[in-house]
Amino acid sequence: MSPALHPVETSVRGWLESIVIGLNLCPFAGKPFRENRIRVFVSEAKTPLDLLTDLQLELTRLHDTPVEQLETTLIAVPLMLADFADYNDFLDEADALLDQYEWSGDFQVASFHPDYQFADTLPTDASNYTNRSPVPLLHLLREDSVETAIALHPDPDGIPETNIAKMEAMTLIERRALFAFLEPR
């Protein structure tokens, strides 16, 4: 019998399956998800230093594990960075860590947050939902995998616009139902 998943991991995996893959927001996520090559790590960090340590350990794990076994990692951060501005500031520290360990060019950190807001948008704009998640997430991506996926996709530049159009085509009621984990909003 396999051990029970952490409730945060269950929530993140549900979001990944129903929203990211279910709506095809990331056309590259389905295959590694089905092959169980997406790791969800729930960080217990309560300070930026502890989270940077978790980030460094997870990047090391990703670096040391063949892509055939582990494609990508989502670090869930349930105990800190609830404020989107704080989260956004932490992304600079994450990028600095990539530089420090000379992992820039090998890995990148993609961002998802319950209150994600693109520049020049209102918090309620439908476009923001493309990057909204149950908890703050640091998505660790392999640059080689990203480049390969982009090269194989017929219209990689159109993905963001397609995703925004999907969100804008939904009614407020449909979005609220799909993103119930964000309520009240």
Side-chain angles (χ1 to χ4, degrees):
M1 183 168 150
S2 54
L5 296 180
H6 189 288
V8 172
E9 180 177 351
T10 300
S11 179
V12 169
R13 287 189 176 279
W15 162 80
L16 186 60
E17 188 170 20
S18 66
I19 295 175
V20 176
I21 296 169
L23 294 177
N24 201 32
L25 297 180
C26 177
F28 319 119
K31 186 174 191 259
F33 184 81
R34 289 187 300 277
E35 295 173 352
N36 199 31
R37 293 185 301 123
I38 297 176
R39 175 173 162 77
V40 177
F41 171 76
V42 180
S43 172
E44 299 294 329
K46 293 181 182 175
T47 68
L49 182 57
D50 288 342
L51 184 54
L52 285 170
T53 300
D54 285 345
L55 176 59
Q56 187 267 329
L57 291 171
E58 288 303 313
L59 282 162
T60 299
R61 176 189 299 266
L62 202 57
H63 179 267
D64 293 345
T65 306
V67 69
E68 298 81 20
Q69 294 174 19
L70 179 61
E71 176 68 43
T72 188
T73 299
L74 292 161
I75 300 177
V77 188
L79 303 178
M80 59 181 290
L81 303 178
D83 180 84
F84 183 64
D86 293 341
Y87 172 82
N88 222 16
D89 290 343
F90 183 82
L91 293 175
D92 292 334
E93 293 183 54
D95 286 341
L97 185 130
L98 288 174
D99 290 339
Q100 176 185 348
Y101 285 91
E102 298 180 356
W103 283 329
S104 294
D106 294 328
F107 300 105
Q108 62 178 264
V109 179
S111 55
F112 299 91
H113 191 278
D115 294 320
Y116 199 95
Q117 184 177 347
F118 289 103
D120 302 321
T121 66
L122 297 173
T124 56
D125 285 355
S127 61
N128 295 317
Y129 283 81
T130 64
N131 284 55
R132 290 204 173 155
S133 57
V135 297
L137 295 174
L138 301 172
H139 185 186
L140 312 182
L141 296 161
R142 297 174 186 266
E143 287 278 354
D144 288 346
S145 295
V146 171
E147 289 173 13
T148 299
I150 287 172
L152 295 174
H153 193 276
D155 183 22
D157 294 334
I159 294 171
E161 290 81 18
T162 299
N163 290 345
I164 290 169
K166 287 176 189 175
M167 292 300 148
E168 290 175 341
M170 288 183 197
T171 67
L172 181 59
I173 292 170
E174 290 170 328
R175 266 196 316 276
R176 282 187 175 161
L178 191 59
F179 290 86
F181 56 82
L182 297 176
E183 295 303 326
R185 294 263 178 242

